[in-house]
Amino acid sequence: MKISGGKVFDLQKGFVERDVCFDGALLTPDSRDGGSFDASGCWVIPGLTDVHFHGCVGADLSDGDGDGLQAMAEYQLSRGVTQICPAGMTLLEDRLTKVCQVAAEHRRAGRPGAELVGINLEGPFLSEAKKGAQNGAWLHAPDVAMLRRLMEAAQGLVKLVSVAPELPGAMEFIREVSEDVNVAVAHTTADYDTALEAFRLGAREVTHLFNAMPGFTHRAPGVVGAALDSPWSRVELISDGVHIHPSVVRATFKMFGPDRVVLISDTMRAAGMSDGKYDLGGQEVTVKGPLATLADGTIAGSATDLMACLKAAVSFGIPLADAVRAAAVNPAQAIGIFDRVGSLEPGKRANVVVLNGDLEVKAVFFQGKQVV
């Protein structure tokens, strides 16, 4: 297959005019099978990787339901998200164990849809004061043994774990597990010095920057300032137009640079569904348009998928090449899969998305087969 005529994402140059070729599941320097796709007037980008979303089309990872996880994977693939690393909520250990087991079975069975490349344990090692839409009754102190049990149940799929570094035992937790999993600072009251120590000890990411953490001010820079001063760290950003003001999206890309921002959707089960009432981690959420809230008005995840977040970021003034890097390259690097996905070099998976001039999905190729 040869995709020709489009502007193709390039790691060094942004976008270039060239062909994208593949025969079978891998990208190749040229194509011999004779198939072609005309991408004239379009943008050709790598399939995206969402490392932080909870659900969509009525399903949620925390349900621990295999059919629901498959529905999520199929919807995400239709939206050009070819790799998924869905996030669990704060739950009791037995429910988290089931979530991990279901994910492992999904992976083992090779079920349809976007490739399940990991799971993200957003809870339960979080601060009560900044729990957001997490269920406070199920919060848990940082617990290395518990995390190890969940990692075993997931059979290697746990790629990220969130922790509030000010909690008792958190620093020891970060030091001990950071070689095995990407530790993210999250749902925290940590000040600058505490967060900086967490990054020094091995934390490498911030979960949804600005949300569920102290603000960034001139005398108290907090987690945001500590992350900025820790150049090895990356920051997640929800660019749905609800969680973060467009000006702050622009400022974040300027401060951290496009190589350190990871666009995420943080979607819950209402993504791809109509307005109404839904469940998130055992709590009722009301969805109206792009806004999802608990009864007290707390924002409870997003209803905007990652491709729509990428489009929104561009509408806020982020160059398309930078937005693609933040939604395809950086998340793949963050969870250790960039050697096979996330860019369009020969030898990588033939996971390719064609966007029209309005940045709407025109075609999706997954492992060399056109699925949209």
Side-chain angles (χ1 to χ4, degrees), residues 42 70-71 85 129 133 161 170 177 182 185 221 223 252 281 284 323 334 345 360 363:
C42 297
Q70 180 175 329
C85 180
V161 60
V177 307
N182 190 350
V185 173
V223 174
T252 301
E284 185 177 89
E345 281 70 54
E360 296 293 339

Side-chain angles (χ1 to χ4, degrees), residues 122 130-132 186-189 207-214 223:
E122 187 180 0
K130 290 290 186 179
K131 67 181 185 298
H187 290 270
T188 176
T189 62
T207 298
H208 45 53
L209 190 73
F210 299 109
N211 296 114
M213 64 187 61
V223 174

